[in-house]
Amino acid sequence: MPVDQVIISYRRCRNFINVLLLRSMNLFQPVLVEGPSEQLVVSANGICWSEQNLEYRIMVNDIFDIAIRNDDGEVPFNLVEKEGNNLAFGLSLRRIRHRALDERTVHVEQKDLLLCIDPFTPCSIHCGICANKLIGERQYLQIREVPMTTMIPQNYFCARNKLAVYPTEEELFYGLNYLVISIDLLGIGVTTSKDYGTIQCSRCKQLVGELVGEYLGRSVAVQLYADALRLVTTDSPFEFKEIFGHITPTQIMIRLLHDADPINMEKTRLFLKTVRPDGQLQHLHLQMDSKQIHILRSELDTSDLEMKSNADLPIENDTSSESDFDILLSDTSSSSLNPQTGDDSMKRIDPVPKPEAAEPLKSVKYLKLRGFGGFRLKYLFSGSDDELNENYDVTSSWRDQGTRELRISYSMMVDLVSEFNTYERVAAALEMNSPPIKTTHPRLTYIIFEPDEEFYARQEKITKIAG
């Protein structure tokens, strides 16, 4: 079965890489056909996988020098493990070119949030459940993002040097999943609880925000949860809109990492919560490695497929090792003599040799690798009341330790959990762990940072395959 994709993971300050050869995009698809001849060869400058007359070359010499023999003359890479159609193994490294690795890695910058409120169009803000009008129709002449993306507004909208910093009625500040406006804009559509600092819809009692800041014993601003609201503009007075446009998992995590609470030098954590449209509370506990992980992923391009013999492979030979890409083709040529008898005089005719069968050519595929940054993390998702109860001890412990809860929208939670579910299978295969199962313990996964256009292209491809 041909190789669909190659994935290599490298964690900073480590001297080894994990390699996964995906021979089926379904990691746990049963083996359909066992190849009659399969061979894995590791060289100082790359990896070769061959089966029958098909050969894949993964060159990494511009980034890594692979260790072929240790001081004792033993092969230092881990035993190859096979899971269904796929192979996973670890390789020790002699040298790592960090600058080349960084240059190979796709760098994703934080993008602006797609806010659907602009200073030129009057709008009103409504409850997302019952459509009760919370903030009357008006224009916000100054719209600005809170300086530290997801930071709690109390750190910005508070008294500094005896001067209050707070939004006026014409100003609107925003961050990931929230808006900050003047408290003077609140009307009869909401009720406030000064004891708890919360704001509710006066009709359906949904929690829609909280009071923030303090000046002379009075709150100076209101933080509204964007996922609990809907927007109506004068351009479309009968249409309820989302406050923000879609944001990819990569952009969500880039912003959330600003608020990660450090546990020690190597670990940070995030405690996320959301409310499903039917009112179900959900929690997501994340514990991440502080150091970034690099993922090298192949891009298959059929235009690179070439028919080559094994003799002209442009592979660097490592004279200090026998583990080069010296894969010899078996000689399948044959010749036969077919004696013929001649006339009545029994004159002998020299045998005519049968033409030799042409030696089969090997199809060689060079797999190009692209680098992506990301993080290795463990996550624990509580999506129902039963799961919230099962994970109550973890939630209580994190709260007691001062871990702050960050509210994200339900769509953000769905995207994050879907992404974690996808990459936990890759993480298990790469690190040669047991296949992921539903459990009350945190589950290992990766978050891979990719540009928005690539995320949407991947989602479109998945949709087409599913359809």
Side-chain angles (χ1 to χ4, degrees):
M1 178 176 291
V3 173
D4 282 344
Q5 195 172 42
V6 176
I7 302 176
I8 298 175
S9 67
Y10 168 68
R11 295 163 66 184
R12 283 285 191 180
C13 302
R14 303 294 177 95
N15 63 344
F16 65 89
I17 56 176
N18 292 323
V19 183
L20 173 63
L21 303 184
L22 278 175
R23 299 174 67 203
S24 167
M25 294 310 290
N26 182 348
L27 279 172
F28 304 109
Q29 176 180 325
V31 177
L32 301 178
V33 179
E34 285 287 354
S37 60
E38 298 177 342
Q39 189 173 19
L40 175 68
V41 180
V42 177
S43 171
N45 56 357
I47 305 158
C48 175
W49 167 259
S50 62
E51 51 186 60
Q52 295 181 301
N53 292 322
L54 186 61
E55 187 172 291
Y56 294 90
R57 300 290 179 83
I58 306 105
M59 307 303 298
V60 296
N61 55 298
D62 58 334
I63 301 176
F64 305 119
D65 288 340
I66 301 173
I68 302 301
R69 294 283 188 273
N70 58 24
D71 295 337
D72 298 328
E74 298 177 351
V75 178
F77 60 86
N78 296 341
L79 180 67
V80 176
E81 290 197 3
K82 203 168 185 180
E83 182 69 48
N85 293 317
N86 311 295
L87 293 92
F89 51 93
L91 296 175
S92 296
L93 303 174
R94 290 186 310 193
R95 183 182 178 188
I96 305 157
R97 298 173 179 84
H98 290 287
R99 179 177 295 179
L101 179 61
D102 290 337
E103 291 174 352
R104 176 77 67 88
T105 301
V106 176
H107 294 282
V108 182
E109 301 293 336
Q110 177 176 304
K111 289 192 171 184
D112 294 336
L113 293 170
L114 301 176
L115 181 65
C116 297
I117 301 175
D118 65 72
F120 307 105
T121 306
C123 64
S124 57
I125 296 175
H126 298 249
C127 173
I129 293 180
C130 67
N132 184 29
K133 184 181 289 187
L134 307 180
I135 308 295
E137 185 179 292
R138 65 176 305 101
Q139 286 180 266
Y140 300 93
L141 302 180
Q142 295 186 30
I143 300 177
R144 291 181 286 176
E145 188 169 3
V146 176
M148 286 295 292
T149 62
T150 59
M151 64 178 271
I152 52 177
Q154 285 91 332
N155 291 348
Y156 184 69
F157 300 100
C158 59
R160 295 167 184 249
N161 300 321
K162 298 183 180 180
L163 293 175
V165 178
Y166 55 88
T168 65
E169 294 185 18
E170 290 76 29
E171 290 180 312
L172 181 144
F173 294 84
Y174 64 95
L176 183 65
N177 195 45
Y178 67 81
L179 307 175
V180 179
I181 60 175
S182 169
I183 193 171
D184 295 330
L185 296 180
L186 294 181
I188 61 173
V190 298
T191 57
T192 61
S193 170
K194 294 185 178 180
D195 292 338
Y196 299 99
T198 58
I199 302 172
Q200 293 178 318
C201 170
S202 60
R203 181 184 296 169
C204 68
K205 305 305 179 184
Q206 177 197 198
L207 186 66
V208 296
E210 57 189 273
L211 302 174
V212 297
E214 187 72 26
Y215 180 64
L216 299 179
R218 176 178 176 269
S219 297
V220 297
V222 175
Q223 178 188 2
L224 299 176
Y225 307 134
D227 63 305
L229 310 174
R230 292 297 180 269
L231 182 71
V232 174
T233 63
T234 54
D235 292 341
S236 52
F238 303 106
E239 179 182 348
F240 288 90
K241 301 178 180 179
E242 302 284 344
I243 300 292
F244 290 104
H246 185 263
I247 179 171
T248 65
T250 292
Q251 291 295 323
I252 295 172
M253 289 302 299
I254 288 177
R255 289 172 174 275
L256 288 174
L257 286 173
H258 288 289
D259 290 294
D261 294 317
I263 304 173
N264 51 45
M265 293 296 292
E266 297 184 351
K267 301 287 183 183
T268 60
R269 64 170 51 153
L270 282 168
F271 182 17
L272 308 179
K273 66 177 179 180
T274 192
V275 178
R276 207 165 58 189
D278 62 0
Q280 173 66 60
L281 177 66
Q282 294 182 337
H283 283 162
L284 181 61
H285 299 81
L286 302 179
Q287 182 171 293
M288 299 165 292
D289 290 351
S290 300
K291 295 179 180 177
Q292 193 178 52
I293 189 173
H294 289 270
I295 296 292
L296 298 173
R297 202 162 56 191
S298 67
E299 293 184 339
L300 297 182
D301 183 0
T302 55
S303 64
D304 288 341
L305 188 62
E306 301 177 34
M307 301 297 291
K308 298 183 179 182
S309 66
N310 188 66
D312 58 0
L313 299 178
I315 301 291
E316 167 190 330
N317 289 325
D318 183 7
T319 56
S320 64
S321 166
E322 297 177 359
S323 296
D324 295 328
F325 291 151
D326 297 327
I327 303 176
L328 302 177
L329 293 173
S330 59
D331 185 7
T332 58
S333 63
S334 62
S335 62
S336 61
L337 298 179
N338 185 15
Q340 302 288 333
T341 56
D343 53 19
D344 293 339
S345 64
M346 301 296 293
K347 182 178 179 180
R348 180 181 176 82
I349 300 177
D350 292 336
V352 179
K354 185 177 180 180
E356 293 185 358
E359 184 177 90
L361 296 178
K362 188 180 292 290
S363 298
V364 178
K365 179 71 179 181
Y366 287 87
L367 302 185
K368 299 178 181 179
L369 300 176
R370 290 186 69 205
F372 296 87
F375 289 89
R376 182 178 183 271
L377 58 89
K378 290 185 177 181
Y379 76 103
L380 184 63
F381 176 64
S382 306
S384 65
D385 287 340
D386 289 341
E387 291 174 345
L388 289 170
N389 290 331
E390 290 174 353
N391 301 322
Y392 177 77
D393 290 342
V394 176
T395 300
S396 297
S397 175
W398 284 33
R399 284 172 174 163
D400 292 343
Q401 294 170 16
T403 305
R404 185 162 55 91
E405 299 177 34
L406 299 173
R407 174 162 172 160
I408 61 175
S409 70
Y410 176 65
S411 63
M412 292 179 189
M413 183 71 81
V414 170
D415 283 346
L416 285 180
V417 174
S418 297
E419 201 78 351
F420 296 157
N421 287 342
T422 298
Y423 283 111
E424 72 174 338
R425 296 181 178 274
V426 174
L430 274 170
E431 303 192 16
M432 289 174 277
N433 295 330
S434 301
I437 58 174
K438 183 176 176 58
T439 176
T440 57
H441 300 290
R443 297 153 66 172
L444 174 67
T445 190
Y446 299 150
I447 179 69
I448 308 301
F449 290 168
E450 59 184 343
D452 286 5
E453 56 273 14
E454 295 189 20
F455 170 81
Y456 291 120
R458 179 163 58 89
Q459 294 300 309
E460 183 178 357
K461 185 181 298 184
I462 292 173
T463 302
K464 287 182 178 179
I465 293 174

